[in-house]
Amino acid sequence: METLVNQTIIIVGGSSGIGLGIARAALDSGANIVITARSADKLQAAQRSLNGGDRVKAIAADMTAEADIARLFEEVGAFDHLVSTAGTLPPGDPIGQTDMAGMRAFVDNKLIGAIILAKYAVQGLRPGGSITFTSGINKDKPPVPGGSVVSAIAGSFSYFARALALELAPTRVNVVSPGWVDTPMWDILGDAKAGYFADMTARLPARKIPTAADVAAAYIYLMQSNVTTGETLRVDGGHNLI
């Protein structure tokens, strides 16, 4: 296993949720981190909460804007690992009622954004480094109705990573596939959150809904494992089995 001490890790979507959990875990592993997201205010709050001093840099960028991504990697320079957790709420309309503008925006955010990241990442990624993308449970358990688009996009990451792992070798490319994760995103449910989580916890084989810290461990593993590439690692408590 490779050490992350003094390595530089770019975390796209690092201002909250899973991305912020990865940032904390990476700092604990001795890495220097660059967190990036659209909102400069959220990034500054995240940077303060991490309390990593000079080891934490925050750069605002929109992963759907190629000029932003080009600027991000130019500003960072050479680095060792790229992690992308950025995303937005997926469309949920039945296929016959699909809002095409919303669907295209989702594709731009998730899939096209990942392609732009890969395009510019290769210019500064040091030999022996890695890229880790994020998909999700919807590829395995698509909501019905309304899950066709998100399932197609989430599933595409596994094939994208397999092909990139060959094209960019020896750079390693992998995917983490979480299920439900206990992050502030779920706070939108209000008082109903506890009931939803209790029901899902009882159904999961692991009898636990992962936290951001639980899921972050998978990203750390994929960055450190110098023989793991082209893989999709499920970290979902067994959600894909039920």
Side-chain angles (χ1 to χ4, degrees):
M1 300 289 282
E2 297 288 338
T3 179
L4 297 182
V5 174
N6 294 326
Q7 295 200 341
T8 299
I9 303 172
I10 301 174
I11 304 169
V12 182
S15 64
S16 63
I18 294 172
L20 186 56
I22 297 166
R24 290 196 175 99
L27 280 174
D28 289 344
S29 298
N32 302 309
I33 63 171
V34 179
I35 56 173
T36 183
R38 288 192 189 95
S39 170
D41 289 342
K42 288 184 178 179
L43 279 171
Q44 290 171 6
Q47 188 175 25
R48 289 192 297 269
S49 74
L50 289 167
N51 196 29
D54 292 341
R55 293 172 57 208
V56 181
K57 187 173 184 178
I59 302 175
D62 181 349
M63 69 178 291
T64 66
E66 187 169 358
D68 272 20
I69 298 305
R71 173 180 53 79
L72 166 69
F73 286 105
E74 183 177 359
E75 186 169 343
V76 172
F79 68 100
D80 300 283
H81 303 279
L82 169 66
V83 172
S84 178
T85 67
T88 186
L89 289 175
D93 296 328
I95 194 65
Q97 300 170 27
T98 300
D99 175 72
M100 297 306 294
M103 182 273 293
R104 287 190 175 96
F106 180 71
V107 173
D108 278 350
N109 186 280
K110 287 296 291 182
L111 182 56
I112 304 302
I115 293 169
I116 296 172
L117 286 173
K119 174 182 177 179
Y120 288 94
V122 297
Q123 299 175 17
L125 192 54
R126 293 189 180 102
S130 72
I131 299 173
T132 308
F133 295 111
T134 305
S135 64
I137 191 63
N138 284 325
K139 72 182 185 314
D140 304 302
K141 309 289 287 187
V144 179
S148 57
V149 172
V150 65
S151 178
I153 300 306
S156 69
F157 277 89
S158 295
Y159 295 99
F160 184 44
R162 284 168 60 88
L164 276 183
L166 293 172
E167 180 178 344
L168 302 183
T171 294
R172 294 172 292 106
V173 186
N174 295 289
V175 180
V176 173
S177 178
W180 288 23
V181 182
D182 191 358
T183 66
M185 179 186 74
W186 289 92
D187 293 346
I188 193 173
L189 296 176
D191 294 340
K193 174 183 173 180
Y196 278 105
F197 272 44
D199 178 68
M200 180 56 76
T201 299
R203 295 173 57 208
L204 289 174
R207 300 294 190 269
K208 174 180 169 58
I209 292 176
T211 64
D214 293 327
V215 178
Y219 293 86
I220 297 298
Y221 164 76
L222 290 174
M223 285 186 274
Q224 290 183 313
S225 176
N226 57 12
V227 292
T228 304
T229 192
E231 295 295 329
T232 296
L233 180 58
R234 292 188 178 97
V235 189
D236 61 11
H239 193 166
N240 69 94
L241 302 174
I242 61 174

